[in-house]
């Protein structure tokens, strides 16, 4: 409502004036206490704030530490009527935060994420989260925020917005943002996140793509309730669909909501089914979508590890017998699915390019040094899509160049007999997300030759002379190597 927007605007000004920002909290608490909070340890922060007063101290006690604060102290430093009107605090003589309000943002931004208190929020134990619990910023949402391409776009969709984390990031590079969720409480808290952060989104209620009908977008992102579980206990994590059908449905329905050249980035869980290759299984999700696709598995858990993780995630309100009953029921459900493991990762779709003619790229990236960022994700998918217009003849006349920070290591090592022996050349990018690649001697020579001015044909001829080979024998392997190194991000065309 207009009144809510006005109240949120006044609160935003108060928060900023008080230094209630990510940088401000670090300054008022100090690095040690701030780091302890990230581990769920509030005692150092309370010690740092002891005996101090001011709006920043009251806000930290209320929303960061979850402490009770005398009503008089809140009214003295903050616009109490606005806090009450928006449902951010409640109580009588002493007030507590009704929701979790956290400073959040990127460099040069000051955003606020409004969510429900989690099981370990602010060091307080919550017996068990509610059915319509709204999750705050977590590992999955941070993963999605990092890997999403950030090119400027006209329209973007955040499907399953929750507290609105992804929509906040979209606000930096999308002219129009539609955010959906089937949880009405999530939409209420997302609206508060937007208003307190100085943004405005088109919020719509509904499941999957129902709220957007036949609309199309330049970018779709989704951190959906992907947990593979029996039934539908919690809206934020359980889709209520069989097995891993949610991920399959999302990637199969997304292309019809993408404009040509549009991108979708979806987080998902998928089953490792006994007797099946998970790569082949997930590849069937994107076949026939008309999109170039990259499926990347970041981690895989065995069923017991997976169930234990998600039971802890929701809190421990039930007694031991009930906990063990639910644990066993969940394991039975996964056994009925013939699940040997559960993978977690992302699926990126690019509508256009080769229109999926090459098939999806499906791989395990568990050993990558770090997560790729949005530009690296976009570069990988775009490079794969670019092959539609690059046949062998065009590739021969192209002039690849090494990317900045490329490192080619060629060294000799001493064997057991003390003699020096050559190790295979290894290629990596300084601070790159890809593990190093092992090359043969011809491949290493080609990489050294590619300076952005030398054609592939010229590089092949030079390699043939250096290694006393026929150029026709070097050519097939060279074409394969160049394609692979461009797609991996080691070379640019």
């Amino acid at each position: 409502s207009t009144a809510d927007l006005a109240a949120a605007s006044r609160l935003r000004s108060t928060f900023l004036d008080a230094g209630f920002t990510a940088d401000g909290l670090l300054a008022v608490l100090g690095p040690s206490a701030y780091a302890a909070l990230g581990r769920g340890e509030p005692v150092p922060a309370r010690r740092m704030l002891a005996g101090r007063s001011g709006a920043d101290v009251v806000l930290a006690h209320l929303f960061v530490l979850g402490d009770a604060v005398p009503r008089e102290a809140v009214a003295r430093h903050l616009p109490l009527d606005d806090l009450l009107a928006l449902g951010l605090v409640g109580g009588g003589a002493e007030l507590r935060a009704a929701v979790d309000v956290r400073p959040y943002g990127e460099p040069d931004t000051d955003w606020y994420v409004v969510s429900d208190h989690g099981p370990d929020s602010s060091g307080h134990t919550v017996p068990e989260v509610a059915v319509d619990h709204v999750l705050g910023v977590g590992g999955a949402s941070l993963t999605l925020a990092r890997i999403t391409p950030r090119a400027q776009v006209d329209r973007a969709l955040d499907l399953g917005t929750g507290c609105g984390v992804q929509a906040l990031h979209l606000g930096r590079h999308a002219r129009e943002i539609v955010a959906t969720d089937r949880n009405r409480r999530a939409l209420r808290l997302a609206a508060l996140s937007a208003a307190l952060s100085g943004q405005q989104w088109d919020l719509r209620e509904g499941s999957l793509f129902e709220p957007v009908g036949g609309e199309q977008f330049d970018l779709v992102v989704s951190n959906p309730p992907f947990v593979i579980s029996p039934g539908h206990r919690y809206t934020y994590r359980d889709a209520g669909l069989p097995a891993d059908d949610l991920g399959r449905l999302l990637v199969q329905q997304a292309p019809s909501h993408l404009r040509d050249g549009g991108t979708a980035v979806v987080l998902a869980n998928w089953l490792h089914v006994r007797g099946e290759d998970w790569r082949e299984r997930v590849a069937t999700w994107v076949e026939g979508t008309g999109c170039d696709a990259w499926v990347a598995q970041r981690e895989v858990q065995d069923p017991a590890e997976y169930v234990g993780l998600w039971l802890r995630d929701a809190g421990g309100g039930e007694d031991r017998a009930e906990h063990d009953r639910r644990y066993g029921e969940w394991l039975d459900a996964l056994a009925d699915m013939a699940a040997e493991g559960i993978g977690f990762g992302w699926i990126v779709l690019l509508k256009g390019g080769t229109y999926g003619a090459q098939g999806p790229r499906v791989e395990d990236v568990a050993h990558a040094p770090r997560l790729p960022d949005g530009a690296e994700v976009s570069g990988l998918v775009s490079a794969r899509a670019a092959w539609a217009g690059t046949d062998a003849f065009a590739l021969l006349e192209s002039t690849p160049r090494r990317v900045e920070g490329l490192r080619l290591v060629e060294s000799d090592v001493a064997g057991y007999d003390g003699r020096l022996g050559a190790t295979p050349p290894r290629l990596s990018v300084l601070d790159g997300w890809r593990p190093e690649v092992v090359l043969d001697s011809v491949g290493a020579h080609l990489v050294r030759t590619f300076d952005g001015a030398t054609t592939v044909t010229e590089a092949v001829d030079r390699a043939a002379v250096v290694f006393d080979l026929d150029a026709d024998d070097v050519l097939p392997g060279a074409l394969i190597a160049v394609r692979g190194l461009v797609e991996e991000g080691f070379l640019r065309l």
Side-chain angles (χ1 to χ4, degrees), residues 110-169:
D110 288 306
W111 299 331
Y112 297 93
V113 173
V114 183
S115 65
D116 283 318
H117 296 294
D120 300 312
S121 179
S122 305
H124 296 293
T125 300
V126 177
E128 186 173 2
V129 301
V131 171
D132 61 353
H133 178 78
V134 180
L135 200 64
V137 180
S141 56
L142 292 174
T143 293
L144 181 56
R146 177 170 177 80
I147 66 174
T148 297
R150 297 298 174 191
Q152 292 294 319
V153 295
D154 184 44
R155 301 192 78 215
L157 170 65
D158 177 12
L159 190 150
T161 190
C163 62
V165 177
Q166 306 309 319
L168 286 171
H169 288 277

Side-chain angles (χ1 to χ4, degrees), residues 149-389:
R150 297 298 174 191
Q152 292 294 319
V153 295
D154 184 44
R155 301 192 78 215
L157 170 65
D158 177 12
L159 190 150
T161 190
C163 62
V165 177
Q166 306 309 319
L168 286 171
H169 288 277
L170 292 173
R172 299 198 73 180
H173 63 105
R175 185 185 64 81
E176 178 186 350
I177 300 164
V178 177
T180 70
D181 207 290
R182 62 178 178 172
N183 181 356
R184 187 169 298 177
R185 177 168 174 75
L187 293 175
R188 163 65 178 165
L189 298 192
L192 290 173
S193 294
L196 289 173
S197 301
Q199 296 191 24
Q200 190 170 357
W201 315 320
D202 181 354
L203 293 161
R204 306 182 192 178
E205 183 178 354
S207 181
L208 296 176
F209 289 96
E210 292 173 359
V212 295
E215 298 175 55
Q216 291 189 318
F217 301 85
D218 303 292
L219 177 63
V220 174
V221 298
S222 183
N223 177 15
F226 54 70
V227 176
I228 301 170
S229 60
H232 175 208
R233 189 177 182 91
Y234 303 109
T235 303
Y236 79 92
R237 76 172 196 199
D238 305 318
L241 295 173
D244 51 13
D245 276 3
L246 175 67
R248 178 181 60 81
L249 286 172
L250 274 176
V251 299
Q252 290 179 347
Q253 293 178 10
S256 64
H257 295 279
L258 287 175
R259 292 171 174 169
D260 200 40
T263 302
V265 187
V266 177
L267 298 186
N269 271 165
W270 43 74
L271 292 173
H272 285 224
V273 176
R274 188 177 306 111
E276 297 184 33
D277 187 319
W278 74 268
R279 297 170 181 82
E280 295 177 1
R281 186 170 180 276
V282 180
T284 64
W285 293 4
V286 297
E287 290 174 356
T289 60
C291 293
D292 291 284
W294 178 34
V295 181
Q297 178 171 272
R298 183 64 177 173
E299 64 177 307
V300 61
Q301 295 176 303
D302 65 62
E305 182 184 12
Y306 185 79
V307 172
L309 168 69
W310 288 108
L311 284 176
R312 290 191 301 274
D313 179 76
E318 71 277 359
D319 60 26
R320 189 68 198 184
E322 175 62 13
H323 174 276
D324 290 351
R325 184 196 67 77
R326 289 171 57 192
Y327 202 129
E329 180 184 76
W330 203 330
L331 286 178
D332 288 342
L334 291 174
D336 289 343
M337 300 173 198
E340 294 182 324
I342 299 91
F344 167 78
W346 55 82
I347 301 171
V348 182
L349 303 175
L350 174 62
K351 189 172 182 178
T354 65
Y355 293 92
Q358 297 188 100
R361 178 190 179 110
V362 185
E363 62 181 323
D364 192 306
V365 297
H367 299 295
R370 60 171 174 80
L371 286 171
D373 61 31
E376 291 165 331
V377 170
S378 180
L380 185 147
V381 180
S382 297
R384 186 174 182 82
W387 297 130

